[in-house]
Amino acid sequence: MICRQTLLNVALLLGLSPMLALAASPDEQSSTRRPSPAETAAERGYRLLTEKAYIPEADFDQETFDNVWRVWPEPLRSEAEKATPDERRAMAFSRYGLTTRPGDDSGKPLQYVVDERGDWTMNCFACHGGKLQGKTLPGLPNSHFALQTLTEEIRETKVRMQKKLTRMDYGSLVIPLGNTNGATNAVMFGVVLLAYRDKDLVVHTDRPMPKMVHHDMDAPAWWHFRRKRQIYIDGFAEKGHRPLMQFMLVKENGPEKFMHDWDDEFRDIYAYLESLEPPRNPHKVDDQLAAEGKIAFEAHCARCHGTYGEDGSYPEVNVPLKEIGTDPVRYHALSPEGRAHYGQSWFGRYGESNTIDRPPGYVAPPLDGVWASAPYLHNGSVPTLWHLLHPDGRPQVWRRSENGYDTDRVGLQVETFDALPDEVRDAKERRTYFDTSRFGMSNAGHTFPDELDESQKRAVLEYLKTL
């Protein structure tokens, strides 16, 4: 059994959240490209996310990544051995849910900062930069990301190559990074990292271990950020640039980094998030049916999810747990005391921000670009909008295709199962399946569409394509 002190030490060493962990050492920071006078704040924010380093130890180097295929299972390993280096790189990107950067021919992944030495460290886009029908879309939840598998195979590769193990290699042994590809246990990183800081962000390693409720979450679409006043699925924290910084609370980063060195930079990152727009649906839409769907949507759904168009408004309704009926694990994973500690800290502006210690439930999200942001519900348990509108038809287990998109049901192209297939025994393969019987991954709840008849559901589905 792993002792409490071991877990504490690993937690403090582990400086990486799948949600927001940017990487670097002081000399890496000095090598970051200087801003152009013509850069906007949003452009600077994107550059900082992809080039700047904030965590003092990289995850792995280029040589390790280039050799990770050697620990893959057969027949994939033999296929990689016969492939060219470029083909192997593409295979690795596919296996781990990585993409290239749009408009950038460097070949660098959107999801990692890669410095001049070839050191890789994860950034925010690991969870918030996905692909839609094979096209990279910054701000899209990365439903392909396989962080646990990547970390395990990188660790094995380092051991074979006799390279130094880093915090992620050790930390993933005691804190799960995600039991399902495309989902993240980032919430628990935030809990443990803040628990050992006081309100001024000074580290106190003698504090007791906080309660840890490991569970997987779906990342929110970043283009919703601009419409919100509160953030996170329970809406407990007021939006601002400071909350974006909390996942860098490794003990090497002292209070001066947050309060002085990085404050203006994260205002630029905030500006980038505020600048993001939802993608437009390129697929055919039945305009007449969509118009009928708008009427039904505004009568039955808008009270929580808002209205859309030039005069649209978003009410940001926090729906009580008993009413929404979706999986409650995420809600209970954060304690009122933990939320209050956040609110009284520098992140919550010492109590001046609107921090809600006991929110009633989960916030109904805005639906801009909802056609693109599958899977659905806060834990990503529902693969298409059709399944969201038909609670009784939601699959118990499903597996997505690489780049497929279901234009009829609007969402991921999936293969469905009544249960996890018996032949799936390997943990890495099991992560490619979404199993709603797992802890925190239930697809129950949000039965409000039952108010609609089948013709109204078809119309609402068509309308959602237009948002």
Side-chain angles (χ1 to χ4, degrees):
M1 179 178 292
I2 297 170
C3 71
R4 175 169 293 200
Q5 187 61 44
T6 299
L7 183 56
L8 168 59
N9 292 338
V10 171
L12 289 173
L13 284 170
L14 188 62
L16 182 59
S17 163
M19 190 182 234
L20 178 59
L22 314 176
S25 60
D27 53 341
E28 288 171 27
Q29 292 183 26
S30 65
S31 68
T32 302
R33 181 170 60 83
R34 298 300 180 187
S36 163
E39 264 187 330
T40 65
E43 289 169 341
R44 286 194 300 273
Y46 177 81
R47 176 173 54 79
L48 288 164
L49 286 172
T50 53
E51 296 183 14
K52 174 88 180 199
Y54 294 92
I55 298 295
E57 186 177 36
D59 299 326
F60 50 86
D61 61 21
Q62 186 66 53
E63 185 182 27
T64 303
F65 188 76
D66 289 343
N67 282 276
V68 72
W69 64 270
R70 298 181 186 276
V71 304
W72 288 351
E74 291 290 4
L76 191 62
R77 182 169 65 248
S78 293
E79 293 173 10
E81 187 174 17
K82 298 173 184 176
T84 66
D86 285 345
E87 290 170 340
R88 280 198 293 267
R89 183 181 177 87
M91 292 171 70
F93 272 40
S94 173
R95 180 167 177 80
Y96 302 126
L98 307 178
T99 70
T100 55
R101 301 174 183 181
D104 183 340
D105 60 4
S106 69
K108 291 181 179 181
L110 176 66
Q111 296 78 14
Y112 279 79
V113 172
V114 182
D115 68 15
E116 294 175 355
R117 296 193 299 268
D119 288 335
W120 290 42
T121 312
M122 192 185 309
N123 65 30
C124 312
F125 288 115
C127 289
H128 297 280
K131 60 179 179 177
L132 182 63
Q133 293 182 274
K135 181 180 179 181
T136 304
L137 191 58
L140 176 71
N142 188 358
S143 60
H144 291 85
F145 194 39
L147 178 58
Q148 185 73 39
T149 297
L150 171 60
T151 304
E152 290 172 356
E153 295 182 346
I154 286 291
R155 180 172 59 240
E156 185 178 352
T157 304
K158 287 180 180 178
V159 170
R160 290 184 174 210
M161 299 179 72
Q162 297 184 327
K163 287 180 175 283
K164 176 186 175 183
L165 299 184
T166 59
R167 68 185 81 226
M168 283 297 287
D169 303 310
Y170 291 115
S172 60
L173 294 171
V174 292
I175 300 179
L177 306 178
N179 289 312
T180 303
N181 291 355
T184 171
N185 187 33
V187 172
M188 286 299 100
F189 283 84
V191 168
V192 74
L193 290 172
L194 185 58
Y196 295 100
R197 300 272 179 150
D198 64 20
K199 63 183 179 66
D200 296 313
L201 308 187
V202 176
V203 175
H204 296 271
T205 58
D206 57 344
R207 291 186 173 184
M209 173 66 64
K211 180 182 179 181
M212 303 289 283
V213 183
H214 297 302
H215 63 288
D216 290 348
M217 284 276 295
D218 183 39
W222 262 357
W223 55 77
H224 290 163
F225 188 78
R226 64 189 303 174
R227 300 200 70 181
K228 297 180 178 180
R229 299 183 299 274
Q230 302 287 120
I231 55 174
Y232 306 124
I233 188 62
D234 58 6
F236 91 89
E238 183 177 337
K239 183 173 74 172
H241 74 284
R242 290 184 182 182
L244 302 178
M245 306 166 75
Q246 64 176 305
F247 294 97
M248 297 180 297
L249 286 170
V250 292
K251 64 179 180 180
E252 295 91 338
N253 289 338
E256 69 283 354
K257 295 288 187 183
F258 298 90
M259 298 179 182
H260 303 293
D261 297 356
W262 299 335
D263 199 51
D264 286 342
E265 294 176 354
F266 272 79
R267 293 180 190 275
D268 290 338
I269 292 172
Y270 180 96
Y272 171 70
L273 298 188
E274 287 277 289
S275 75
L276 290 174
E277 297 276 358
R280 292 187 176 275
N281 191 344
H283 304 114
K284 184 178 180 180
V285 175
D286 184 327
D287 292 334
Q288 181 175 346
L289 186 59
E292 296 172 10
K294 180 179 180 180
I295 295 171
F297 177 90
E298 293 184 349
H300 295 275
C301 312
R303 62 182 180 268
C304 292
H305 291 289
T307 56
Y308 299 83
E310 290 185 6
D311 299 323
S313 63
Y314 173 55
E316 204 162 357
V317 174
N318 197 313
V319 185
L321 279 181
K322 288 185 178 179
E323 184 179 347
I324 187 68
T326 51
D327 195 297
V329 169
R330 162 60 182 82
Y331 178 87
H332 293 299
L334 270 64
S335 68
E337 295 76 18
R339 294 186 183 100
H341 175 51
Y342 167 91
Q344 293 301 317
S345 75
W346 179 82
F347 292 119
R349 296 186 296 157
Y350 299 111
E352 293 183 10
S353 294
N354 181 32
T355 303
I356 305 171
D357 299 349
R358 299 178 184 272
Y362 296 138
V363 177
L367 301 181
D368 312 79
V370 69
W371 65 272
S373 60
Y376 304 105
L377 296 186
H378 70 273
N379 56 10
S381 58
V382 179
T384 74
L385 288 176
W386 184 93
H387 290 111
L388 192 67
L389 292 169
H390 295 81
D392 292 340
R394 295 171 188 169
Q396 295 304 301
V397 177
W398 50 269
R399 189 184 197 187
R400 66 165 303 167
S401 65
E402 172 72 17
N403 293 316
Y405 181 82
D406 191 330
T407 56
D408 293 327
R409 294 193 168 187
V410 189
L412 305 180
Q413 182 185 71
V414 296
E415 185 179 5
T416 63
F417 308 85
D418 293 332
L420 191 70
D422 292 337
E423 63 270 19
V424 179
R425 301 181 183 276
D426 177 71
K428 295 172 185 177
E429 184 181 4
R430 189 164 61 243
R431 292 179 198 131
T432 67
Y433 291 80
F434 196 107
D435 184 352
T436 63
S437 69
R438 301 190 72 161
F439 181 72
M441 308 305 277
S442 169
N443 63 8
H446 195 276
T447 58
F448 308 115
D450 288 343
E451 299 174 0
L452 307 172
D453 62 31
E454 191 57 37
S455 63
Q456 289 175 312
K457 289 181 180 181
R458 286 197 300 271
V460 168
L461 183 63
E462 200 69 15
Y463 173 64
L464 293 175
K465 296 178 184 179
T466 71
L467 301 185

